[in-house]
Amino acid sequence: MASQDGGTPHETGTGGDFAGDLRGFLGSLPRGDADAVLGWFGGSPATAPGEGLTPELTALFEDGEGGPRDAGIDPASRPRQGDPRAVRRVGVIGGGTAGYLTALALRAKRPWLEVTLVEAKGIPIIGVGEATTPSMVPFLHHYLGIDPQELYEAVAPTWKLGIRFDWGGKPGGFMAPFDWGSNSVGVLGSLATQDDINAFTFQSLLMERDRAPVFRSGDDGRLSLMKHLPFAYHLDNARFVRYLTELAERRGVGHIDAKIDDVVLGADGWVDHLVTDGGERLDFDLYVDCSGFRSLLLGKALDSPYVSFADSLFTDRAVTAIVPHHGRIKPYTRATTMDAGWCWTIPTRDDDHVGYVHSSGFISVEEATAELQRLYPEAHTFRTVHFRSGRHEEAWIGNVMAIGNSYAFVEPLESSGLMMITLGILSLVGSLPGSWDEPCPRKVVNAALAKKWDEIRWFLAMHYRFNTRKDTDFWRACRADTDVSGLEALLEVFAGGAPLRFRDPVVRGFLESTAPTFYGLDGVDCLLLGQGHPTRLLPMTEPVDAWRARKAAADVLVDRALTAAQALTAFDQDPRLNAQLVGDPDSWVVRTGTNRLVSADPDAPTARGSAAGGSADGAAVDGAAVDGAAVDGATGEGASGGALAGTGSSRGDGTDG
């Protein structure tokens, strides 16, 4: 008999022996039928019917066909012999991080493709540090199968636990750690006891003390929590691109050193062939445009309209430099409010790489350089980089897919460049048909990528609209004129009660499904509460002493944590630590999937998938921790400052001489 709410009596928790009922039911079946049901539910046919059976019946809710699937490798996508429209030859036009990561991914996941990278080698690499997001760690080590020890030896990355903002009205700024989704210590308690959010997670406390989650254990041992806490890499871009170039050669990526002089279209509007500066004709079945801001194929040849973000993001230039850090490696990217923009500080093993992102309408290059020198008197090796913020209407037209700056770019705040490069790569590898005569999901890819870029635009706009740290012409204009129209509904809900994580589940669900929150509502909470944006704080549900006890326990760990430099040395000396990180089944690097780039709540049932097998979107995480597609960190994917140069085609695009 059903209960009034539609459930059955044993589901109401009011009594009844469900397990006994189940055993009785199985006992009434013929032995063969009972054994079949037991086998499905995980019981043993050798036992009496029902023995050892758990009443949860998890088999009813598991994917019966959810075995491991390697992302991108679909036998149906292999070209058929004799098909004149088959996709066999791919030309990646432009080098840098976008070009080389694309070429390596196509070779890793579509090994039957002939992949050739076309670039002008004479264009120098802009050697600045680049900040990434947690997605880069599993992308490199699982999706591309790069050995971490080899990466550490060749590129010497440093770690990033999040971004430290010298931003907003609080003198100490605020931490935006990658574990912001955990709220492991508690944001309400942090606000109640110290009037800021900087004690709301374990990683935020580590960042305040410049520590990493690695500890001495006994006389010679080390305990690492890196596999349990999301982090990203800081990369020296020159070293990184040099390593990717060597790796591509080893993995069979072809290379043509040439500048593209002409893109010839066919009668159907598709690219028919390219012509180099030496007069050579280049023919491919698929052209991947990694030509940087020139957007040689997508923008110039195919004339995809450009959607500017300039009314939300006013900056268009950066002055970069190098600053000695004298061995003090910080475990975060720093974003410092400046008179006409902001300055990134990215630690590499040798020094800090800095960049003053500013608006040319408010300050000259000379004035920006002088202000940067006042902040960092030891700065040297100054360069100027120009950029624009926006996207083309489409990323994929005909036989051309644009990845990197050739399709879209937003200013460097939150270092979304490499993350969106990886998402573009995943969309191409996962969607490319074996033949142009087969259905191709261009419209879905174009709509999804455009939506993601628009969401980043609005998230970055919040940084500018609500930063009250400086009262200069630039910041007054930002507070008055930054377009945040895409956020009106979200801001209205935030004003009515925060943190958003504690709002009514229906309201939160509506926001997650409708508001442009690329980094999720937890990222919005961190950014707006960190800046002190007006809201009605929701009440604590515990005594403040309970919060203080958690904080004290976290402080015990922070006190004993190694500095970032010491922890990096430990990883350099003990390969076992990186083996844990990329191989242990309980590591965030192993168990996450591509869904973390497309779901605001990566732990939701629709995005979870199998921990050791396929994820909900078909991206596999191999038990060997090599071939599966694991693309994002934990719930704090956002919180990431970043460098500009290198987010797209940092060597150059193969088109400029």
Side-chain angles (χ1 to χ4, degrees):
M1 183 178 70
S3 62
Q4 290 182 344
D5 65 359
T8 57
H10 70 263
E11 292 173 324
T12 64
T14 57
D17 180 12
F18 175 70
D21 293 343
L22 184 58
R23 284 193 295 270
F25 168 73
L26 291 172
S28 70
L29 298 177
R31 186 58 183 258
D33 291 347
D35 287 349
V37 174
L38 278 168
W40 185 32
F41 288 164
S44 171
T47 64
E51 283 187 9
L53 188 68
T54 57
E56 286 81 7
L57 306 183
T58 54
L60 295 177
F61 312 103
E62 292 178 342
D63 184 354
E65 298 176 327
R69 297 175 184 270
D70 192 4
I73 299 183
D74 176 3
S77 64
R78 290 178 179 267
R80 296 185 302 275
Q81 189 171 6
D83 181 357
R85 299 265 289 167
V87 179
R88 296 186 178 90
R89 300 166 303 159
V90 180
V92 179
I93 314 305
T97 49
Y100 278 99
L101 289 175
T102 299
L104 286 166
L106 288 168
R107 288 293 300 157
K109 300 304 180 185
R110 302 287 183 103
W112 54 84
L113 292 175
E114 178 186 317
V115 181
T116 303
L117 191 141
V118 183
E119 66 171 338
K121 278 282 193 177
I123 300 175
I125 298 172
I126 301 175
V128 301
E130 183 163 9
T132 67
T133 56
S135 61
M136 188 52 57
V137 180
F139 181 81
L140 292 175
H141 302 312
H142 286 268
Y143 197 80
L144 298 185
I146 292 175
D147 178 77
Q149 291 303 121
E150 181 177 286
L151 182 81
Y152 276 59
E153 291 171 6
V155 183
T158 64
W159 295 330
K160 173 181 173 184
L161 305 184
I163 180 168
R164 183 169 188 154
F165 278 98
D166 300 320
W167 215 269
K170 308 292 184 184
F174 67 94
M175 308 297 161
F178 285 129
D179 66 342
W180 62 20
S182 70
N183 199 41
S184 55
V185 182
V187 67
L188 289 173
S190 184
L191 287 165
T193 58
Q194 55 187 56
D195 196 31
D196 62 36
I197 69 168
N198 292 335
F200 81 114
T201 75
F202 179 49
Q203 277 186 309
S204 63
L205 295 172
L206 287 167
M207 289 167 62
E208 273 205 309
R209 299 276 299 278
D210 294 343
R211 304 295 181 93
V214 181
F215 310 85
R216 289 187 178 87
S217 176
D219 294 334
D220 301 316
R222 295 289 186 272
L223 168 67
S224 170
L225 298 183
M226 298 292 285
K227 72 172 185 175
H228 297 292
L229 296 167
F231 71 94
Y233 286 140
H234 294 122
L235 302 165
D236 180 290
N237 193 58
R239 284 182 174 179
F240 187 47
V241 175
R242 193 159 49 241
Y243 170 69
L244 294 179
T245 303
E246 296 167 357
L247 184 64
E249 182 178 359
R250 276 190 273 146
R251 293 191 175 184
V253 175
H255 187 273
I256 296 176
D257 183 357
K259 173 186 172 184
I260 303 302
D261 263 3
D262 193 17
V263 180
V264 180
L265 303 183
D268 55 2
W270 288 32
V271 172
D272 183 76
H273 65 275
L274 309 177
V275 180
T276 72
D277 56 348
E280 182 182 2
R281 172 177 171 143
L282 302 178
D283 291 272
F284 302 104
D285 302 314
L286 169 71
Y287 299 81
V288 185
D289 188 350
C290 298
S291 63
F293 289 119
R294 283 195 65 190
S295 193
L296 184 66
L297 281 73
L298 182 75
K300 289 191 174 182
L302 298 178
D303 198 26
S304 176
Y306 188 75
V307 180
S308 175
F309 295 165
D311 53 355
S312 293
L313 305 172
F314 299 165
T315 59
D316 59 359
R317 191 166 60 194
V319 174
T320 70
I322 295 174
V323 178
H325 60 44
H326 306 292
R328 295 188 293 272
I329 300 175
K330 308 293 187 184
Y332 49 76
T333 301
R334 192 161 200 151
T336 302
T337 302
M338 305 287 277
D339 286 350
W342 66 281
C343 178
W344 76 66
T345 305
I346 294 174
T348 69
R349 299 288 184 106
D350 300 325
D351 38 41
D352 286 338
H353 292 205
V354 302
Y356 182 1
V357 181
H358 60 274
S359 168
S360 61
F362 288 85
I363 193 172
S364 68
V365 170
E366 294 75 19
E367 291 169 329
T369 303
E371 187 183 354
L372 186 58
Q373 284 181 307
R374 290 194 296 272
L375 179 64
Y376 293 114
E378 295 183 278
H380 61 89
T381 315
F382 292 91
R383 293 188 178 96
T384 301
V385 183
H386 299 264
F387 61 90
R388 64 176 182 173
S389 294
R391 63 169 175 82
H392 288 276
E393 284 192 357
E394 301 159 296
W396 193 348
I397 299 177
N399 60 344
V400 172
M401 172 79 170
I403 292 176
N405 298 346
S406 57
Y407 167 54
F409 181 77
V410 290
E411 70 116 88
L413 194 60
E414 296 288 354
S415 83
S416 54
L418 271 175
M419 179 179 59
M420 292 305 292
I421 285 173
T422 60
L423 183 56
I425 291 170
L426 291 167
S427 64
L428 173 63
V429 172
S431 304
L432 184 64
S435 169
W436 292 126
D437 284 336
E438 298 171 4
C440 181
R442 291 184 191 87
K443 290 183 178 179
V444 170
V445 170
N446 285 330
L449 292 177
K451 180 176 183 291
K452 290 297 177 185
W453 279 106
D454 291 348
E455 289 177 348
I456 294 172
R457 168 203 183 163
W458 299 121
F459 188 72
L460 296 187
M462 283 192 290
H463 293 66
Y464 285 100
R465 184 63 178 262
F466 305 122
N467 185 7
T468 58
R469 178 156 293 238
K470 281 184 174 283
D471 193 32
T472 60
D473 289 344
F474 172 82
W475 287 105
R476 284 192 294 270
C478 287
R479 290 190 287 271
D481 302 328
T482 298
D483 180 10
V484 292
S485 57
L487 298 166
E488 288 178 355
L490 175 66
L491 294 171
E492 181 181 60
V493 175
F494 182 87
L500 295 172
R501 65 163 42 246
F502 296 139
R503 292 298 298 268
D504 180 273
V506 173
V507 173
R508 183 179 172 99
F510 284 166
L511 282 176
E512 288 170 341
S513 63
T514 61
T517 57
F518 184 86
Y519 296 123
L521 298 183
D522 299 322
V524 175
D525 278 336
C526 181
L527 180 62
L528 294 182
L529 291 172
Q531 293 185 94
H533 189 60
T535 185
R536 178 183 64 85
L537 286 178
L538 298 175
M540 295 183 67
T541 58
E542 63 178 359
V544 72
D545 285 348
W547 181 90
R548 292 184 193 277
R550 279 197 305 277
K551 168 70 160 48
D555 284 339
V556 169
L557 291 176
V558 174
D559 288 342
R560 289 159 176 79
L562 301 180
T563 67
Q566 292 169 333
L568 285 165
T569 299
F571 268 64
D572 290 339
Q573 295 174 346
D574 188 352
R576 178 181 57 91
L577 299 178
N578 257 322
Q580 290 176 354
L581 178 70
V582 301
D584 284 3
D586 62 342
S587 170
W588 67 269
V589 180
V590 175
R591 60 181 170 78
T592 56
T594 54
N595 50 70
R596 289 191 177 276
L597 281 178
V598 297
S599 171
D601 181 6
D603 292 319
T606 55
R608 188 173 295 128
S610 172
S615 65
D617 57 4
V621 178
D622 193 315
V626 173
D627 292 330
V631 183
D632 197 353
T635 49
E637 170 64 6
S640 50
L644 167 69
T647 54
S649 184
S650 52
R651 178 194 298 280
D653 54 15
T655 59
D656 291 320

